[in-house]
Amino acid sequence: MGENAQRSTRGSLLEKEIGTRRQRAANWFQSLRDEVRAHCEFLEDLHETGPLADRAPGRFEVRATVRQGTGDPGGGIMSIMRDGRVFEKVGVNVSTVHGRLDSRMLTSLTARRDIPGLKQDPRFWASGISLVAHMNSPRVPAVHMNTRMFWTPVATWFGGGIDLNPVLENPDDTNRFHRALQEICERHDPDYYAQFRDWADRYFWIPHRQEARGAGGIFFDDLDSGDGDADFAFVQSVGRAFGEVWLPIAEQRRFEAWTEAEREIQLIARGRYAEFNLLYDRGTRFGLESGHDVDAVLMSMPPVARWR
Amino acid sequence: MGENAQRSTRGSLLEKEIGTRRQRAANWFQSLRDEVRAHCEFLEDLHETGPLADRAPGRFEVRATVRQGTGDPGGGIMSIMRDGRVFEKVGVNVSTVHGRLDSRMLTSLTARRDIPGLKQDPRFWASGISLVAHMNSPRVPAVHMNTRMFWTPVATWFGGGIDLNPVLENPDDTNRFHRALQEICERHDPDYYAQFRDWADRYFWIPHRQEARGAGGIFFDDLDSGDGDADFAFVQSVGRAFGEVWLPIAEQRRFEAWTEAEREIQLIARGRYAEFNLLYDRGTRFGLESGHDVDAVLMSMPPVARWR
């Protein structure tokens, strides 16, 4: 009792509070994963007429992913559906990892130059979900969604986003996607859409080609407004945008037939996607550098890509 | 006359001498390019029976490549053959570039940590040839060859190598390749083969997968023995190894039929090849960072690759 009372300092209450917040986020990323998988399988079942409808509806294969490291470095669950009716490959990873950061890992994981105090106590904890969907049809836009919570003893923040990767230009889909994201953002903060749309435009940029990866969306990192509940609520909205915003676009486009020439354009676009992920994506770099399961880190890679 | 006599210091004679050596190397890379292209087209013509022999023999498309930069930054010539009878894609680049190095470029271009004196005078000149052959048949090993000369005011060196990238394990081909390289190296220096074979093993390594890219070969950089003629002669031998060592292996294997399963293994192996090139290859990084023609830098990318 006496010992317990001593431990109940403000510091340990805060640690407990943060532990609860972390657990809540980790749980939510898992329930979003379940929701997202259900959306994808629903679309597969729904697609009973149209291109490739003669295939069996796609289903997810699920396996645990492990992170290399001493002690208990954490891990995750990777769910991949391949060669479905609508999805050529869709992967959904959730992971919760922890350990000690080195400076190389730090430059990959945050837009900040430095996190003061982290040298003294380099512990970190991170949990998140990431989704990448590569579609059979060049007329159904590919999509990427990712949300995550990051904790260190001196800072806690959220990051994430969702962005559209159409292979053929389709201003209708792109406008619809952006308008819906704007609406979602405005429920939370009037500045978020403009700010995070611009961030996505800067982030999803392939400098060596001087071209964008896809049609943008929203992207944010280091989100710590001071109101953890509000930040978490925003992150949840971004995660749900996969079902609310992208799914209806895919549902509509799935009937359209495509040509060999359009497929070719899709494979070339996927080559650019692969270039971005391997050369510039911070999540990929952080994953490879922090020793996370290679297959999970590279889950985002396209099923087939082409370079001329 | 008086002015000319004044200029004829030891320094300017040395500059002239180096200019001649640079020109000689650049010329040779171009003549090797012609030789290599002739070898490839010869193999295409030769393949009148066997898999895909009903196709027209492949021919090279040639175009000039430009480097971004002020003044005259140099450029090159890219030759690509696609969808031939034997070659699915083979690219041969020659380029001669010059300008000023920044520190980022420096870390990509040499294994050395630093080149003393370069801060005061950061001029550089580089010329080289690089070849990557991706084959239709998973039973014909892919191959990569590259040789180059690099000049700065304080150091001149050669680099290069040739390495085999079989998709299916074939100890006969691999042993034959290595034995032939050993013989070539031993004509120049008794230590070169062991030294440069080990260097290739270290260099062509995919750390995040803990696996080698291919079956090795030889790789060297910063070669400056003090005898520039001897170094250049060695570089020439390495360049000729494409025709002397790889070509006879391909010539023999081209008749073998392959299965869909073997093709699948080939496409997965090419995904690993793409990962290596984008994540680790110094030539690729130097090319992208120094603003060279993107298509030329990424000429090495596989025509099709797959990720599961």
Side-chain angles (χ1 to χ4, degrees), chain B residues 139 141 164 170-178 249 252-253:
Chain B
R139 289 166 167 264
L164 200 68
N170 190 324
D172 283 353
D173 289 351
T174 298
N175 290 338
R176 182 176 170 185
F177 185 75
H178 274 279
I249 294 173
Q252 193 179 315
R253 293 277 167 226

Side-chain angles (χ1 to χ4, degrees), chain B residues 11-295:
Chain B
S12 80
L13 273 174
L14 199 66
E15 285 241 337
K16 204 176 159 193
E17 159 79 12
I18 285 168
T20 307
R21 285 175 180 277
R22 297 199 309 210
Q23 195 54 55
R24 186 179 62 165
N27 290 346
W28 190 78
F29 295 133
Q30 284 185 38
S31 76
L32 177 62
R33 186 267 321 271
D34 296 340
E35 195 181 305
V36 154
R37 285 201 311 213
H39 283 319
C40 295
E41 296 193 344
F42 166 76
L43 195 60
E44 286 290 310
D45 288 337
L46 197 65
H47 192 66
E48 293 190 300
T49 57
L52 304 178
D54 55 333
R55 291 188 181 176
R59 287 294 177 263
F60 281 95
E61 285 171 40
V62 179
R63 80 162 179 83
T65 55
V66 286
R67 183 170 164 254
Q68 301 302 314
T70 51
D72 170 21
I77 304 278
M78 174 167 75
S79 308
I80 293 202
M81 179 197 292
R82 297 182 178 91
D83 303 318
R85 292 168 169 170
V86 183
F87 293 98
E88 189 169 333
K89 177 182 172 187
V90 52
V92 197
N93 285 337
V94 288
S95 68
T96 300
V97 298
H98 32 88
R100 284 163 186 281
L101 287 171
D102 60 37
S103 58
R104 209 172 53 141
M105 284 156 70
L106 190 63
T107 57
S108 309
L109 77 89
T110 164
R112 300 178 205 201
R113 283 268 158 235
D114 193 25
I115 301 180
L118 206 63
K119 261 195 183 144
Q120 288 74 50
D121 185 354
R123 285 178 297 150
F124 81 99
W125 174 99
S127 184
I129 180 172
S130 91
L131 171 145
V132 175
H134 295 285
M135 313 309 293
N136 287 319
S137 168
R139 289 166 167 264
V140 179
V143 68
H144 162 244
M145 182 273 289
N146 161 250
T147 59
R148 61 195 171 275
M149 178 178 176
F150 212 95
W151 171 91
T152 69
V154 289
T156 300
W157 69 91
F158 290 95
I162 180 166
D163 63 291
L164 200 68
N165 288 264
V167 168
L168 309 170
E169 275 191 49
N170 190 324
D172 283 353
D173 289 351
T174 298
N175 290 338
R176 182 176 170 185
F177 185 75
H178 274 279
R179 271 199 316 272
L181 290 184
Q182 181 167 16
E183 228 171 79
I184 288 170
C185 287
E186 281 171 358
R187 281 184 233 148
H188 296 271
D189 188 299
D191 297 329
Y192 277 179
Y193 174 68
Q195 201 180 328
F196 298 156
R197 176 201 61 204
D198 290 354
W199 201 335
D201 287 345
R202 288 193 308 274
Y203 184 76
F204 296 109
W205 180 249
I206 307 178
H208 63 272
R209 297 202 178 265
Q210 289 288 300
E211 62 183 45
R213 188 197 92 173
I218 54 172
F219 181 88
F220 61 97
D221 204 352
D222 303 311
L223 181 68
D224 177 13
S225 69
D227 180 345
D229 286 336
D231 295 346
F232 182 48
F234 175 64
V235 161
Q236 290 176 293
S237 291
V238 172
R240 284 196 201 102
F242 171 78
E244 280 174 26
V245 182
W246 178 83
L247 197 67
I249 294 173
E251 205 283 307
Q252 193 179 315
R253 293 277 167 226
R254 70 191 163 90
F255 297 105
E256 297 177 18
W258 61 89
T259 66
E260 267 310 297
E262 288 170 342
R263 173 70 178 170
E264 193 67 13
I265 294 169
Q266 182 188 44
L267 297 185
I268 296 286
R270 285 186 183 166
R272 308 288 164 92
Y273 196 94
E275 288 174 23
F276 177 85
N277 280 19
L278 294 174
L279 284 167
Y280 308 113
D281 187 67
R282 285 215 309 260
T284 304
R285 296 223 152 235
F286 179 70
L288 295 179
E289 285 163 5
S290 66
H292 194 55
D293 192 293
V294 171
D295 292 329

